[in-house]
RNA sequence: GCGGAAGUAGCUCAAUUGGUAGAGCUCCAGCCUUCCAAGCUGGAGGUUGCGGGUUCGAGACCCGUCUUCCGCUCCA
């Protein structure tokens, strides 16, 4: 395999396709941009990663419970969360400087310039005359009146365009005003586009005026709106967490880099509710806990780093990313945010319902603070796959091996008869039938055994169990390790225990 | 969205100036039986991303479109 990161990434993509991990969505119709499907092996790997996260977060913490909220939510949810207002901006690009601007800001700045001119006229006049009446001057001075008329005309036209959602008209205003790009100085503009983060659709009968409904752009709100339900029915005491995995949807303008940025993606997140004032210590706690979880996958400690946010989002008082070194560089894998009480307070305000916690120690109620951990499952999948895929140089040849952590490999073991006769397939079949109650196992009798080993290497199966003639006599088999290619003999009766120890998720959880 | 590169079998890639679409691996059915791919026989698989155009003739040239990768941008 070439050392060039670009080639490594290409290999990951073609390997994903070739072995059934990832397919492009609707490929027979030329695909759908930035949407991908998980194939037969990808679905297993993804499920195993999700399970490991869920067990580590929910099963291993008595004070964390999991929910599964619906993708559709009441539209007001997104007003409260700020998603409706935050992403309603008309955008325009300058083709020469390649810079993107908010079209409304460009127009407002132009208007501001005209207002400056008026102010200068007023200042000049104020110096000239005593007993200066600014209002009178503005309403009588010809030049000022001219500017003011221009401003009013622009504002009226802009307002109409926005109300009619007429983006072509917005662009035409920019063209007509001869607004230039501050950087390139050119008037070479693209069309104005509405940058709308959320996908919308309509639903039969929501309530009042609106029947527009959004596909959730993040899963977090499903937890916040259920905060009180869970706290009451689960008798949860602070601090406690609510975890959830599920799909979220964002209509990215540019979505690229394979499954790194998709329009439909899956999040695994946990909102941890704490007493106000303790949030920074929990923020630090979860930073370390989550990093440790990632490190347990053994992809290489040097591939992780924290990236602290200097510029914080409106809801946060501290935020950082756990970044991972993908083939295309260090990129965000998980976000850890101290969200304060912003979300719950917003929902209190918009819903009119109290979302408070009664602290029996303090004998008072308050809105809890929230520390969020949020991983992109698809990104984690890509991190695992791209660092597991190795082209290994052997003595006389090379082999492709997917060095997945055993506990999350799609198949835990493959069972082969050494040859396809003499009763070996029958015994192998029997072993498989027995193991498959506890483990996802594969069976293969086609081609030479060496070839079968390599096939399993390529899909990351940690162990291959081979039945040979000796097996018929003493009920032992050979078990071959994927990474070392070493083999050892063991009784068939020991297989279950051996696999449980070596591929079980328990082994991984115990490292945390 | 702008710019660059690309799209031919499941994968990686050929195809001379525009002249019969091919190879390797994979896959399938057998043979062989030997614990680490590339043994033997046979076979399947393509409207060359899609749609137009130029031409006697287009995988190649032109236009449009879709998709992917790279840079910029975006990513509360």
């Amino acid at each position: 395999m070439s050392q060039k990161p670009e080639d490594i990434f290409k290999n990951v993509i073609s390997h994903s396709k070739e072995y059934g991990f990832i397919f492009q969505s609707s490929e027979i119709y030329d695909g759908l941009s930035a949407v991908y499907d998980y194939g037969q092996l990808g679905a297993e790997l993804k499920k195993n990663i999700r399970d490991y996260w869920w067990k580590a977060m929910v099963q291993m913490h008595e004070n964390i419970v999991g929910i599964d909220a619906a993708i559709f939510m009441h539209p007001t949810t997104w007003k409260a969360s700020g998603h409706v207002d935050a992403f309603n901006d008309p955008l325009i690009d300058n083709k020469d400087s390649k810079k993107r601007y908010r079209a409304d800001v460009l127009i407002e700045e132009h208007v501001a310039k005209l207002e400056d001119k008026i102010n200068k006229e007023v200042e000049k006049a104020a110096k000239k005359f005593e007993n200066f009446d600014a209002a009178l001057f503005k309403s009588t001075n010809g030049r000022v009146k001219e500017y003011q008329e221009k401003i009013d005309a622009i504002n009226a036209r802009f307002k109409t365009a926005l109300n009619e959602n007429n983006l072509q008209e917005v662009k035409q205003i920019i063209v007509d005003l001869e607004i230039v790009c501050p950087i390139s100085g050119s008037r070479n503009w693209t069309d104005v586009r509405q940058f709308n983060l959320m996908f919308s659709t309509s639903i039969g009968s929501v309530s009042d005026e609106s029947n527009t409904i959004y596909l959730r752009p993040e899963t977090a709100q499903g937890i916040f709106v259920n905060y009180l339900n869970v706290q009451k029915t689960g008798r949860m005491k602070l601090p406690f967490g609510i975890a959830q995995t599920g799909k979220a949807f964002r209509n990215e303008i540019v979505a690229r880099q394979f499954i790194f940025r998709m329009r439909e993606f899956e999040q695994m997140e946990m909102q941890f509710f704490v007493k106000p004032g303790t949030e920074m210590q929990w923020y630090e706690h979860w930073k370390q806990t989550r990093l440790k979880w990632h490190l347990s996958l053994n992809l290489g400690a040097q591939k992780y780093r924290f990236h602290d946010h200097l510029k914080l989002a409106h809801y946060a008082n501290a935020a950082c990313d756990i970044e991972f070194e993908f083939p295309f560089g260090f990129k965000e894998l998980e976000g850890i945010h101290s969200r304060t009480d912003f979300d719950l307070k917003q929902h209190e305000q918009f819903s009119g319902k109290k979302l408070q916690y009664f602290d029996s120690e303090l004998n008072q109620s308050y809105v809890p603070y929230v520390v969020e951990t949020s991983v992109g499952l698809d990104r984690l999948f890509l991190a695992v796959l791209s660092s597991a895929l190795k082209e290994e140089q052997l003595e006389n040849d090379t082999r492709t091996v997917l060095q997945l952590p055993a506990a999350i490999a799609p198949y835990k073991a493959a069972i082969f008869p050494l040859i396809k006769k003499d009763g070996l397939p029958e015994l192998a079949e029997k072993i498989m039938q027995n193991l498959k109650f506890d483990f996802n196992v594969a069976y293969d009798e086609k081609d030479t055994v060496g070839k079968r080993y390599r096939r399993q290497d390529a899909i990351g199966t940690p162990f291959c169990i081979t039945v040979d003639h000796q097996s018929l006599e003493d009920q032992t088999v050979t078990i071959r390790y994927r990474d070392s290619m070493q083999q050892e003999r063991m009784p068939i009766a020991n297989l279950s225990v051996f696999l449980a120890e070596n591929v079980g998720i328990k082994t991984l959880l115990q490292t945390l």
Side-chain angles (χ1 to χ4, degrees):
Chain A
M1 189 181 289
S2 166
Q3 296 303 305
K4 279 168 65 187
E6 197 180 317
D7 291 339
I8 290 173
F9 190 37
K10 277 187 178 162
N11 278 332
V12 170
I13 296 170
S14 66
H15 195 86
S16 297
K17 165 103 189 271
E18 184 164 8
Y19 288 94
F21 285 91
I22 310 268
F23 306 120
Q24 187 168 17
S25 163
S26 330
E27 196 187 11
I28 61 168
Y29 293 108
D30 287 338
L32 186 61
S33 182
V35 183
Y36 291 89
D37 296 339
Y38 285 80
Q40 67 278 15
L41 294 181
E44 289 288 340
L45 177 55
K46 187 182 179 193
K47 172 180 69 66
N48 292 342
I49 294 172
R50 190 197 295 115
D51 284 351
Y52 177 45
W53 180 89
W54 186 271
K55 284 178 196 279
M57 297 300 278
V58 178
Q59 190 170 319
M60 300 303 288
H61 291 94
E62 300 90 272
N63 62 343
I64 298 180
V65 293
I67 66 166
D68 182 17
I71 287 169
F72 292 147
M73 298 185 73
H74 191 285
T76 308
T77 307
W78 307 112
K79 286 190 182 128
S81 70
H83 285 83
V84 171
D85 294 331
F87 286 92
N88 226 9
D89 306 327
L91 298 177
I92 189 166
D93 289 342
N94 183 272
K95 289 182 186 172
D96 297 311
S97 66
K98 318 278 185 222
K99 289 293 169 193
R100 172 167 297 157
Y101 301 94
R102 280 174 54 175
D104 54 332
V105 170
L106 285 178
I107 292 170
E108 279 159 14
E109 281 173 353
H110 185 82
V111 168
K113 277 182 193 165
L114 292 176
E115 282 168 349
D116 273 353
K117 287 182 179 175
I118 291 177
N119 288 337
K120 277 180 186 160
E121 291 291 333
V122 173
E123 277 173 33
K124 272 200 301 190
K127 284 177 187 168
K128 272 194 219 166
F129 306 106
E130 284 179 36
N131 295 331
F132 178 68
D133 184 338
L136 182 66
F137 176 77
K138 280 186 191 172
S139 63
T140 53
N141 179 279
R143 214 173 290 170
V144 170
K145 273 169 73 181
E146 201 178 301
Y147 287 138
Q148 193 58 50
E149 276 163 19
K150 269 191 193 170
I151 290 171
D152 293 343
I154 293 166
N155 282 341
R157 194 177 164 194
F158 183 47
K159 197 177 166 191
T160 308
L162 277 189
N163 285 342
E164 291 170 356
N165 208 15
N166 185 345
L167 298 179
Q168 280 178 333
E169 171 69 1
V170 175
K171 183 190 178 180
Q172 197 56 47
I173 294 171
I174 289 171
V175 170
D176 291 348
L177 295 178
E178 301 185 342
I179 293 175
V180 299
C181 168
I183 290 171
S184 67
S186 90
R187 299 203 292 258
N188 191 9
W189 297 106
T190 63
D191 285 340
V192 175
R193 298 175 318 280
Q194 198 81 26
F195 177 36
N196 209 339
L197 173 83
M198 291 191 288
F199 288 96
S200 60
T201 183
S202 50
I203 198 164
S205 56
V206 172
S207 66
D208 8 287
E209 62 282 332
S210 171
N211 67 344
T212 294
I213 199 159
Y214 298 102
L215 272 60
R216 64 183 178 194
E218 64 173 25
T219 51
Q221 300 306 325
I223 291 179
F224 296 135
V225 299
N226 278 302
Y227 151 76
L228 206 57
N229 284 337
V230 174
Q231 192 269 319
K232 295 281 188 206
T233 59
R235 296 158 49 237
M236 308 303 290
K237 287 196 165 53
L238 286 191
F240 74 93
I242 303 177
Q244 161 162 248
T245 71
K247 288 282 182 77
F249 306 82
R250 292 185 196 177
N251 197 3
E252 306 278 0
I253 299 175
V254 178
R256 252 192 317 212
Q257 287 166 316
F258 195 40
I259 58 169
F260 183 79
R261 178 165 292 122
M262 294 192 287
R263 297 209 159 96
E264 174 179 344
F265 59 101
E266 188 161 347
Q267 293 183 309
M268 305 192 292
E269 53 150 55
M270 189 275 298
Q271 307 292 337
F272 200 68
F273 298 89
V274 304
K275 188 173 154 185
T278 64
E279 71 273 12
M280 289 316 291
Q281 87 192 48
W282 283 110
Y283 171 71
E284 285 303 323
H285 169 84
W286 283 110
K287 270 176 81 169
Q288 298 311 322
T289 305
R290 292 303 307 148
L291 180 63
K292 197 173 177 194
W293 184 88
H294 286 289
L295 292 176
S296 75
L297 289 173
N298 222 7
L299 305 181
Q302 77 288 352
K303 290 189 171 179
Y304 297 88
R305 70 181 187 198
F306 283 115
H307 174 252
D308 291 312
H309 290 199
L310 298 175
K311 207 179 129 199
L312 295 171
H314 57 277
Y315 53 72
N317 67 358
C320 75
D321 296 336
I322 294 175
E323 294 188 334
F324 183 82
E325 189 175 15
F326 289 94
F328 41 85
F330 273 98
K331 299 276 181 184
E332 180 186 353
L333 179 61
E334 170 154 6
I336 296 154
H337 295 176
S338 174
R339 294 181 77 123
T340 70
D341 57 1
F342 176 84
D343 299 280
L344 291 180
K345 279 244 173 90
Q346 286 290 105
H347 286 304
E348 277 197 329
Q349 191 190 323
F350 278 78
S351 68
K353 307 279 189 332
K354 271 202 189 310
L355 297 177
Q356 302 198 343
Y357 174 79
F358 179 73
D359 190 325
S360 50
E361 280 178 29
L362 299 177
N363 200 30
Q364 71 179 58
S365 294
Y366 51 77
V367 176
Y369 270 42
V370 173
V371 175
E372 166 190 79
T373 73
S374 178
V375 207
L377 175 51
D378 311 278
R379 289 181 179 188
L380 191 50
F381 183 101
L382 182 58
V384 167
L385 202 63
S386 60
S387 45
L389 183 61
K390 306 267 170 61
E391 193 79 10
E392 215 173 65
Q393 189 64 45
L394 302 177
E395 255 179 64
N396 294 318
D397 67 275
T398 61
R399 68 163 182 156
T400 301
V401 54
L402 201 57
Q403 297 187 320
L404 298 172
I408 60 172
Y411 289 114
K412 304 306 184 207
I415 295 129
F416 309 146
L418 183 60
I419 57 173
K420 203 165 43 174
K421 60 179 184 186
D422 301 338
L424 301 187
E426 287 77 2
L427 180 55
E429 178 89 7
K430 202 178 129 197
I431 293 171
M432 182 191 68
Q433 292 302 340
N434 193 32
L435 288 177
K436 77 183 190 187
F437 286 99
D438 293 314
F439 308 100
N440 195 25
V441 289
Y443 177 83
D444 196 358
E445 57 178 26
K446 173 83 182 156
D447 299 314
T448 64
V449 74
K451 220 169 178 178
R452 284 177 265 164
Y453 287 148
R454 299 303 171 86
R455 273 204 285 265
Q456 296 299 325
D457 288 342
I459 61 172
T461 307
F463 296 104
C464 291
I465 295 161
T466 303
V467 173
D468 56 18
H469 291 92
Q470 189 185 330
S471 307
L472 298 175
E473 293 162 17
D474 64 5
Q475 296 292 304
T476 64
V477 290
T478 61
I479 188 153
R480 179 246 191 203
Y481 290 72
R482 176 193 66 200
D483 297 344
S484 66
M485 296 169 69
Q486 298 295 308
Q487 292 182 74
E488 62 188 60
R489 233 185 150 80
M490 79 172 55
I492 294 170
N494 292 2
L495 284 173
S496 241
V497 172
F498 175 87
L499 286 179
E501 275 173 13
N502 286 279
V503 307
I505 214 160
K506 180 178 176 184
T507 311
L508 211 47
L509 288 168
Q510 282 170 333
T511 66
L512 293 176

